[in-house]
Amino acid sequence: MSPFALLDELYLEILNRQLDPDFVKTFLALLVGRSSVQGVNLHKDDAILMNVSEKELHIKLRRMRSLLKFKPFIDVYHKSFLDFLQDSSRSGLYRVSKQGGQKRYLELIVDSVVRHVSMAIEQPDCHETCHSSPQFQSVVRTYPSHIDLPVEDWQEALKSLLDFQDKLLNTSKPQPCYVTQAMRDLLLQLAVLQRDSHPITAAEVPLSVTNATVTETSALLVKEARQNVVENDLDSCLSLLLSCLPKTNSVLVVDAAIIDHMTSLLAFDYTEVAAGVRSVSNAQRMIDVIGLLTNNETFLSQCGADAARKAAYLASEIFNRMPLLPCSALNKPTCLSEASVRFVIEVSPHALCIVLPSSCAS
């Protein structure tokens, strides 16, 4: 007989008499998850993550008082209950592994963020005075994240947020707050984790083509761009550029057509162009091509520093709407392996830059 047999029998008896077993199972997963994550005062988010009031949370868990203490906050009386939950041979259907707990904790964070941002979009006037300051923001804003899960679990946990991105691009940008920043941090965490799974390669055009196009003057390109603007509206110019870009993670070739279409597009106001990018896949492709163009000698020779600045401002505006990074910047594991990496898109006089802390810049 197991030395824990009597204790386990007591635990199971208490768990089996819960009025809302699904709610209790979710909370226990949250409890295991936040107990295994480094963070301060994470318990303050319990009601928010469970999508109930503090009072309702206590009511729903009232039959767990022999296992959980309620003051100063809800927690286990003894670590032995967490050990019980993480051992399938003891807890059976109530088993919550450390990984399973962290994944459920992450899912609850994502659900909370989606609810909040949806409210911010639907009720912008109410969101102007948002004072929400969840404790989980400290968990998701550092890299590597304190939630130590494989990329597949991150992808599954963030599915509802990923599905939500296109809606965000097609609505007015919500007022910034701690929760909207947490949303951006979550998406950046996933982008970094996916860097090895989504490589992108830049390829220059053949030298003969480059030499031929470099001889064209900037003035001629500007004149042609203006003619294109007269003949095509913004959406047409954007569609022409996107049609030249690969839809998959294949080699991206910076050629004369891409440069020409980008030059035409830059004749428009960059905020209007960014507003015309209405899907995450297109936003990512725009960020990628701008990251390459603003560091491309042919583009700089033909179009000049002013066009490069406009392109960088366009990328910055897209980034403000949706936190996407050039895939080329994510293929640098030596820069991304340090703790507490923070990403900022900066517009320099000539290029789009991904700025990392000095400790990561080597």
Side-chain angles (χ1 to χ4, degrees), residues 81-357:
F81 183 53
L82 293 177
D83 295 335
F84 161 81
L85 290 174
Q86 295 180 63
D87 188 338
S88 60
S89 66
R90 299 175 60 192
S91 53
L93 295 176
Y94 295 98
R95 188 243 182 174
V96 182
S97 66
K98 176 182 176 181
Q99 180 174 332
Q102 288 197 3
K103 183 179 179 182
R104 192 70 183 104
Y105 180 55
L106 180 58
E107 289 171 343
L108 292 172
I109 289 175
V110 171
D111 290 344
S112 174
V113 167
V114 170
R115 284 195 302 270
H116 184 96
V117 178
S118 296
M119 179 275 295
I121 292 173
E122 295 167 4
Q123 304 175 37
D125 293 339
C126 296
H127 189 247
E128 287 182 0
T129 56
C130 174
H131 299 294
S132 180
S133 181
Q135 301 302 310
F136 61 69
Q137 60 183 309
S138 65
V139 175
V140 302
R141 71 185 174 197
T142 57
Y143 185 87
S145 172
H146 296 313
I147 301 178
D148 185 18
L149 293 171
V151 64
E152 293 79 12
D153 282 352
W154 272 86
Q155 289 171 328
E156 292 175 7
L158 266 64
K159 186 179 185 307
S160 60
L161 186 54
L162 294 172
D163 294 341
F164 189 60
Q165 288 183 100
D166 283 346
K167 180 179 179 181
L168 280 175
L169 286 175
N170 287 278
T171 58
S172 299
K173 187 171 62 176
Q175 290 288 329
C177 69
Y178 288 116
V179 181
T180 55
Q181 182 57 50
M183 174 192 70
R184 298 173 67 83
D185 290 333
L186 284 165
L187 292 170
L188 285 175
Q189 290 282 357
L190 181 59
V192 174
L193 288 170
Q194 289 178 320
R195 67 184 185 274
D196 294 329
S197 303
H198 297 80
I200 185 167
T201 305
E204 298 291 340
V205 294
L207 185 60
S208 58
V209 177
T210 302
N211 289 337
T213 55
V214 168
T215 59
E216 299 181 56
T217 64
S218 298
L220 180 59
L221 279 176
V222 171
K223 181 179 179 181
E224 291 177 350
R226 287 174 178 168
Q227 290 175 345
N228 288 337
V229 170
V230 173
E231 296 172 359
N232 301 293
D233 59 16
L234 188 155
D235 288 339
S236 297
C237 289
L238 183 57
S239 296
L240 285 171
L241 175 60
L242 290 171
S243 67
C244 296
L245 306 180
K247 294 184 178 181
T248 59
N249 298 315
S250 55
V251 174
L252 176 56
V253 179
V254 176
D255 58 14
I258 288 178
I259 292 175
D260 182 51
H261 293 319
M262 177 60 77
T263 305
S264 297
L265 194 61
L266 293 177
F268 294 94
D269 180 80
Y270 64 87
T271 58
E272 294 180 0
V273 176
V277 180
R278 299 186 178 93
S279 74
V280 175
S281 59
N282 285 344
Q284 183 67 67
R285 290 194 289 159
M286 288 293 292
I287 287 281
D288 288 337
V289 74
I290 292 171
L292 296 176
L293 282 174
T294 54
N295 293 281
N296 179 274
E297 292 184 5
T298 304
F299 177 77
L300 294 173
S301 298
Q302 292 181 13
C303 306
D306 185 59
R309 276 195 296 271
K310 288 181 179 179
Y313 280 123
L314 172 57
S316 181
E317 183 65 21
I318 294 173
F319 178 83
N320 285 336
R321 293 171 61 83
M322 185 56 57
L324 301 169
L325 297 174
C327 289
S328 56
L330 297 178
N331 292 329
K332 300 176 181 178
T334 55
C335 290
L336 300 174
S337 60
E338 300 288 337
S340 303
V341 170
R342 305 294 298 139
F343 298 100
V344 181
I345 283 192
E346 272 193 3
V347 181
S348 72
H350 300 287
L352 173 69
C353 306
I354 303 301
V355 180
L356 300 171

